[in-house]
Amino acid sequence: MVQAGNGEPLVVVDHVNKHFGALHVLKDICTTVTRGEVVVVIGPSGSGKSTLCRAINRLETIDDGLITIDGTELPKEGAGLAKLRADVGMVFQSFNLFAHKTVLQNVTLGPIKVRGLSKADAETRAMALLERVGVANQAKKMPSQLSGGQQQRVAIARALAMEPKVMLLDEPTSALDPEMINEVLDVMVGLAKDGMTMIVVSHEMGFARKAADRVLFMAEGAIVEEATPEEFFTNPKSDRAKDFLSKIL
Ligand code: ADP
Ligand code: MG
């Protein structure tokens, strides 16, 4: 297995299975993401990538197996779940900002409500994060006044504001106009360079090559290949991966 990061397991997915009715959507998934590691998950539509992300954040239950974040098993519900969820920053394809809150409020809400920060502290930190993702000058606006690329960068700042141990980004650039993709990928590359542990579902080869320590290729609910980006993109081993790459390259 490919190892990167500092070798200390942060997210452990151990023999996880999940069905939607008769559909076996996660098939005995095992993988360990170490602290500081960047894992890019790729694979055809419907292969279970989003379900895996959602299971790691407990937005989806699993049938059997075990998922731990920093050594703690995900509880089924309750206060423990809210706390553990706050350790996992999630960014979706569709931004999901609170439409009736300003950009700044989008970033301060979680820290005030879940982390118990004062409004002043939350705002100071939020402004620093908005600066980091390059949208500090938009802080007073409503999300709808921003471009898609700006909104997605706010969504990343909002997730970072909770000081997560790991960031999960599920196709964060798929809903963006082409000219906005790079501004979001650049922020993600910056996070990776700063040592953030990340699981990113993305078919952006440039990002994977630049930032990923490891590529997980999924098909039909299973991890079919696991390799460095260099290895995977230049020398995919399975026919499924070869076929998939021939379609997206
Ligand atoms: P991917 O993100 O790789 O495109 P998903 O994890 O979204 O794949 O979906 C995997 C499979 O599970 C697909 O066949 C999808 O239709 C199915 N699926 C996803 N969510 C649900 C759900 N809530 N109920 C039933 N089937 C679902
Ligand atoms: Mg998906």
Side-chain angles (χ1 to χ4, degrees):
M1 184 167 125
V2 188
Q3 274 294 355
N6 69 359
E8 190 189 326
L10 184 61
V11 179
V12 178
V13 180
D14 189 22
H15 295 287
V16 164
N17 284 282
K18 165 86 185 169
H19 292 80
F20 284 120
L23 182 67
H24 196 175
V25 64
L26 294 179
K27 295 176 181 158
D28 201 37
I29 300 289
C30 293
T31 193
T32 297
V33 181
T34 60
R35 207 180 292 277
E37 194 181 13
V38 177
V39 175
V40 166
V41 182
I42 78 172
S45 175
S47 55
K49 306 179 298 294
S50 293
T51 305
L52 177 60
C53 287
R54 293 168 59 80
I56 291 172
N57 202 20
R58 255 283 183 225
L59 292 168
E60 207 69 79
T61 58
I62 56 177
D63 300 340
D64 53 72
L66 190 66
I67 299 175
T68 60
I69 309 285
D70 207 9
T72 308
E73 186 183 348
L74 288 183
K76 289 215 167 15
E77 57 205 350
L81 178 56
K83 189 175 166 298
L84 217 58
R85 227 178 232 162
D87 287 340
V88 182
M90 184 101 191
V91 174
F92 303 91
Q93 179 176 337
S94 53
F95 327 142
N96 291 6
L97 295 175
F98 308 121
H100 303 291
K101 306 260 180 216
T102 64
V103 164
L104 183 64
Q105 287 167 336
N106 264 275
V107 183
T108 58
L109 201 68
I112 292 171
K113 290 216 159 149
V114 181
R115 296 283 196 217
L117 258 66
S118 71
K119 183 161 176 265
D121 284 351
E123 286 184 351
T124 305
R125 287 205 358 217
M127 286 310 297
L129 288 169
L130 290 172
E131 189 74 49
R132 183 169 172 192
V133 301
V135 290
N137 55 350
Q138 311 291 323
K140 294 202 167 68
K141 291 191 183 165
M142 302 305 282
S144 60
Q145 295 173 279
L146 272 56
S147 72
Q150 289 172 326
Q151 288 187 55
Q152 193 59 303
R153 285 183 284 149
V154 174
I156 291 172
R158 181 177 64 176
L160 291 173
M162 299 297 280
E163 301 188 307
K165 291 177 177 165
V166 52
M167 288 278 283
L168 284 182
L169 299 101
D170 189 0
E171 302 209 33
T173 61
S174 299
L176 297 176
D177 293 334
E179 73 271 21
M180 291 171 190
I181 290 175
N182 279 330
E183 66 194 45
V184 173
L185 293 178
D186 287 348
V187 166
M188 290 159 53
V189 170
L191 285 181
K193 287 206 172 117
D194 290 346
M196 176 60 76
T197 310
M198 296 165 77
I199 300 172
V200 184
V201 179
S202 174
H203 296 157
E204 294 290 340
M205 219 79 50
F207 171 76
R209 280 182 184 275
K210 235 186 267 179
D213 296 302
R214 175 157 56 113
V215 171
L216 284 189
F217 174 70
M218 288 183 71
E220 292 171 37
I223 296 176
V224 175
E225 276 189 52
E226 203 174 351
T228 63
E230 180 61 22
E231 224 172 282
F232 180 75
F233 293 122
T234 54
N235 189 22
K237 297 200 169 42
S238 64
D239 287 342
R240 272 169 171 165
K242 285 177 194 161
D243 179 56
F244 177 73
L245 287 172
S246 74
K247 285 176 184 145
I248 64 162
L249 283 175

